[in-house]
Amino acid sequence: TDMFIDRRRLKRQVTVWRATAIMAILAIGVAVVGKTNLIGGRSHVALLSIEGLILSNPQRDQMLHDLVEDHRAVALVVIIDSPGGETAASESVYRALRDVGEVKPVVAVMRSVAASGGYMVALAADQIFARESTITGSIGVVLEATNFVGLMEMIGVESEFIRSGPLKAQPNFLERLTLDARVVNQHLVDDIHTMFKRMVAKRRGLEPNAVEVLADGRVFSGAAAKSNGLIDALGGLPEARVWLYEK
């Protein structure tokens, strides 16, 4: 009888401990989920960093697309430290940032360099900050056409092309650029340059004649860019946060 009573008492104790453990696990789970939901649902300012050469990046483009519908992100700060890169990639970031800017404020903060495509990205912002010594501007387009013809002639190597038209595969590094190809490629550069200048005029509120003066490819300091209207204010991330708070 004593053994039977002891076994029942032990069984009740084990059952109580099991129930207590299950309740504790459930409580911890609820606390963790609640904390995650609280953090995940918290309003915040999103931050995007554009560094180095600007190249095609589908993940970055998708992130910006998702940000348009993300109501938790009330604004976007773009940190730029880039000398530029691919024209199409820079334009892609610009267009994506403008989509974000249609529904929430976008601020650009230039660091050491934000030139060429880096400046094109900054144009998408509602407010642009830079340091006095930031290198910016370089509003222009370049198409590089390196060739190894002289070296090939030195070592006795020739290259032959059979093409559908005289402008096919021009330029390329195995032959010199022809006069007609030079004219056609200059038109290509001019078309993209015109697009860039239209962006500057529209986003910075400058007259086309004023943009022509600034868009010859030269670079500016942040202080000069503030004077000629290419940026809005001197400062960095703290000043950008203050602007967001006040506006």
Side-chain angles (χ1 to χ4, degrees):
T1 301
D2 292 339
M3 289 180 61
F4 177 74
I5 293 173
D6 287 339
R7 287 176 63 87
R8 292 191 63 180
R9 184 184 300 113
L10 181 60
K11 187 175 181 180
R12 284 196 300 269
Q13 290 176 348
V14 171
T15 302
V16 170
W17 278 110
R18 284 177 178 172
T20 302
I22 292 172
M23 292 298 293
I25 292 172
L26 288 174
I28 293 172
V30 170
V32 170
V33 171
K35 185 176 181 181
T36 302
N37 288 340
L38 178 62
I39 295 174
R42 184 179 179 184
S43 295
H44 61 277
V45 174
L47 184 67
L48 171 67
S49 181
I50 302 291
E51 296 182 343
L53 290 177
I54 301 175
L55 306 174
S56 297
N57 187 330
Q59 291 181 337
R60 178 190 60 216
D61 295 343
Q62 183 61 49
M63 185 275 292
L64 289 172
H65 176 75
D66 294 340
L67 191 61
V68 175
E69 302 296 332
D70 188 350
H71 301 295
R72 298 168 301 176
V74 297
L76 172 63
V77 174
V78 185
I79 307 295
I80 304 172
D81 199 346
S82 169
E86 295 177 354
T87 305
S90 302
E91 181 191 355
S92 177
V93 178
Y94 169 87
R95 305 290 181 194
L97 289 176
R98 287 308 310 138
D99 289 341
V100 176
E102 292 296 324
V103 295
K104 59 194 70 179
V106 177
V107 181
V109 176
M110 298 176 173
R111 288 189 171 166
S112 297
V113 180
S116 193
Y119 180 68
M120 181 184 290
V121 169
L123 284 173
D126 302 302
Q127 185 82 353
I128 303 176
F129 289 89
R131 296 299 183 188
E132 287 191 51
S133 58
T134 297
I135 302 301
T136 187
S138 188
I139 303 168
V141 182
V142 61
L143 189 156
E144 186 177 352
T146 302
N147 73 72
F148 300 129
V149 176
L151 177 62
M152 292 167 60
E153 291 174 346
M154 288 177 58
I155 60 179
V157 176
E158 294 184 359
S159 178
E160 294 287 345
F161 287 87
I162 300 174
R163 61 186 104 209
S164 58
L167 298 177
K168 180 65 177 175
Q170 284 277 0
N172 69 77
F173 63 89
L174 295 179
E175 61 182 343
R176 291 187 174 91
L177 199 64
T178 65
L179 179 60
D180 289 342
R182 184 178 296 278
V183 171
V184 168
N185 282 280
Q186 184 63 58
H187 285 320
L188 172 64
V189 169
D190 291 343
D191 285 345
I192 300 173
H193 191 205
T194 298
M195 177 196 73
F196 199 168
K197 289 185 290 186
R198 284 200 304 265
M199 289 179 178
V200 177
K202 179 180 180 180
R203 296 298 302 161
R204 300 306 306 164
L206 298 173
E207 292 295 327
N209 290 338
V211 174
E212 285 292 339
V213 175
L214 301 173
D216 60 359
R218 75 183 71 183
V219 295
F220 303 94
S221 67
K226 173 66 171 63
S227 298
N228 59 37
L230 292 181
I231 69 169
D232 294 291
L234 298 176
L237 187 57
E239 288 78 10
R241 291 188 177 276
V242 169
W243 182 87
L244 282 172
Y245 177 78
E246 292 178 346
K247 298 298 180 179

